[in-house]
Every structure is written in C-alpha cells, then in structure tokens.
Amino acid sequence: MSELAQKSGIVITCAKGIAPFLKGEVLSLGLPVLSEGVASVLTEGRMEDAMKLNLSIRTGQRVLFLLEEFNAKNPDELYEKVSRIPWEEYIPEGEYICVTSSVETPTIKDSRFANVKCKDAIVDRMKKKRGWRPDSGPNRDRIVIHAYWKGKRCQIYLDTSGEPLSRRGYRRIPLKAPMQETLAAAVVLATGWEGSGSFINPMCGSGTLAIEAALIGLNRAPGLLRSHYGFMHLKGFDEPSWKVLRKKIKGLGKSGLRGKIIATDISEQAVEAARKNASTAGVDSLIEFGVTDYSETPVPDGGGVVILNPEYGERMGEIEELKVIYKGIGDFFKKKCQRYTGYLFTGNLDLAKEVGLRTKRRVPFFNSNIECRLLEYDLYEGSRKYPNSN
Ligand SMILES: C[S@@+](CC[C@H](N)C(=O)[O-])C[C@H]1O[C@@H](n2cnc3c(N)ncnc32)[C@H](O)[C@@H]1O
C-alpha cells in the first residue's frame, strides 16, 4: 500500500446532528479536524490512520480516504479523469469492486449513472494495464470506491470501512424501532457518562444504549467487534501492522466498570434480544437486565444517568396512550431518580411536554429522517419547580 502510506484527506461521514461528537472523537485520537460539515468531519492522515479511525470511532459511519480531486463538467470528463488514477496500484488481481456515489451536479439526474461511469473507467483501465477486468456490483464487502461530485468539483475516495461502521455485528436480533449503534453511542457521549455512577435504561428495546454505554465505560473500541473492513482488500494491505494496531487499541480497554448498568423493558422478547446482543458484544456480564414496567426499574442510590427512549408515535404507538407514558416518565423521574440526571430521547416534542419538568439542555439529533431531541433534566431538588417549560 505504498501510495497509501502518504498523507491524504480523510472524510468520516456520520448521521446529521452527530458531527460535533465525531469531531471530539477524532481530536481525542490525536488527529486534526480540518473542517466539520453537517454530516461529516474532515481530517488528514495515512492509511494507517484510517485503520485506527475504523477501529476506534463510535459515532462515524464511513472512513473515506481521498485518492484524487478534480473538476468534471460532465460524465465523459468524469470517466476520463477517473481513468487517470492508477487503480492497478490499489486493486489486487481477482478483486471485486463496488462504486458508490453522492452526486449533486446539473449534468446527472441519476447518481447510478455516475457510478457506472466511474466503474467503467476503473475496469477499462485495469483491462488496459493488467489484462483483466474486476467484477463489480452492489456488495460492499470487498473494495468500495466512493465518488463525491458536487457542482464541478469531484473527489474520488477509497471507502476503507466497506460495510458502514454502525454495523458493529452485535445486533443479531433486531426489534422494532431500534436506535442505530452510532446514534446510540453519540447519545451516550452527550450524557457525559463514562463508567462511574449508574447508567439506568428503562425501555431498553434491543439494548443498544446500554451496550454502547458499556463499551464507552470500558473504553473498548467498537471496531474490535468487527473482523472485516474494506481496506483489507486493497493491494499491499499490511496485515502485520493491522494486528499490532488492534492489539494496541485492545490494550487501552478497562477490565471493569465502577458504575452499574441496568436495562429493562416491559417486553420479555426485547429483554431476551438485548441480553443476546450484549452477549455478542461481550458486555452481558456488565448489564443487569430485567423485564418490568419502566416505573418499576430499580434505581440504585448514588446517582448517575437515567435515560429513556420511548416510542414517539411516528413509527409505533398511539399518541393518546403515549401521553400517559410520558407523564408517567416525569413522575418516575421525580419520585425515584433524585440525584440522577434524567434524559429523554424523543422525536415528539409535544409528547415531551407531558413530562412536566424543566429541560436543562436539548441536544438535536436525527433518527433516520426524524428530527429528535435528547432532553436533559436535572433531577436534584429544585428542578421540579418549573413545570411544562419544554
Ligand atoms: C423505541 S423502543 C426503544 C428502542 C431502543 N432504544 C433500541 O435501541 O432498541 C421503546 C421500547 O419501550 C418499551 N416499552 C413500551 N412501554 C413500556 C413500559 N410501560 N415499560 C417498559 N418498557 C416499555 C417497548 O417494549 C420498546 O422496546
């Protein structure tokens, strides 16, 4: 991977609203943040840094390593400039490629046409230089190439992640309305919970928040759960360095938590799924699970974070029934969670008003396309004096 040993731009994509958390993660890994977009962070580094990012970041979706940047006014110019890239230095014999793109340019209406143009340029060059054409298609489990084309400007990247990083591999039993792993990690980071104090998660569903909290509390890199990335298929992939890097990052993890993690749900099926998912993630021994109404969730003394992600009537549940639940959450916070910081993650701010407590902070997020808020409530004495101010 000699060409890839050079420094280049690295774009990490994320869901809308998550970039500030991703930025914090990139900085804490010792990499610079050159700019922050609505759904991405730009840094720079070598392929080795891209590997480190794939292993370590919790809130990003894809790590894109910049190969080339140019102006292209139309698809023919795109083809011509993509064919100038020395693909034979990146694609080993017999490899399969997948081309993805994000296109916003007047000469193309369907981004699939840009994919085809790029793919043709790559395979035609490989045929000319090496005498064979790589197979190609939609599967992202081998070499993935990404074209970002906005106006005249076009960037061609190697998508070093392949499958998106939200697919940690632990959620084997999906339930209805689960939170994406990367979003759950950003939400836990937003609470500031780092492993001391309790983390209480009634309405845990498939357990994503509790599992991500455990990984954060243990300082365990989420990428260690995955054994496969796009960069592994590139020519000259340095497997010994990869193994050393994995070992080094594994060594940064802690062996236990000071705080307790408690995850409950009224659905037995949900708790069973959460338990299995936590076991796949290797954190089941750190989470106490229970089948119960949220209001009966045990809340140990000592304080910490209590967080609920109830349904919000967009995908499941009826608004009138949910009003009762949201009001009940306010009562649960008031009566059982003193000395805690309470959090509600919801996409329905009208329902959130039913909680009846003053919000101290509101953090905007998106769950799929639904605009959501993480609402923070300080549940110490005094915060109960300001009802209905959402
Ligand atoms: C939106 S889902 C939570 C999704 C979860 N964050 C995840 O990542 O899978 C809401 C959950 O609340 C649970 N629930 C609904 N009413 C409840 C109640 N009264 N007490 C406890 N859990 C309840 C449902 O069973 C469902 O699993």
Side-chain angles (χ1 to χ4, degrees), residues 1 12 15 19 44 53 88 91 98 109 111 113 147 158 164 174 185 204 228 259 279 291 307 369 372 385-386:
M1 247 193 257
I12 310 148
E44 63 174 3
L53 285 160
E88 61 282 2
I91 305 175
C98 167
K109 287 200 177 64
S111 73
F113 187 53
L158 289 169
C204 69
H228 185 258
S279 159
V291 179
I307 181 163
N369 285 327
C372 296
K385 292 178 194 153
Y386 310 95

Side-chain angles (χ1 to χ4, degrees), residues 271-285:
V271 173
E272 192 48 32
R275 206 190 291 275
K276 285 199 174 130
N277 291 336
S279 159
T280 309
V283 295
D284 50 325
S285 62

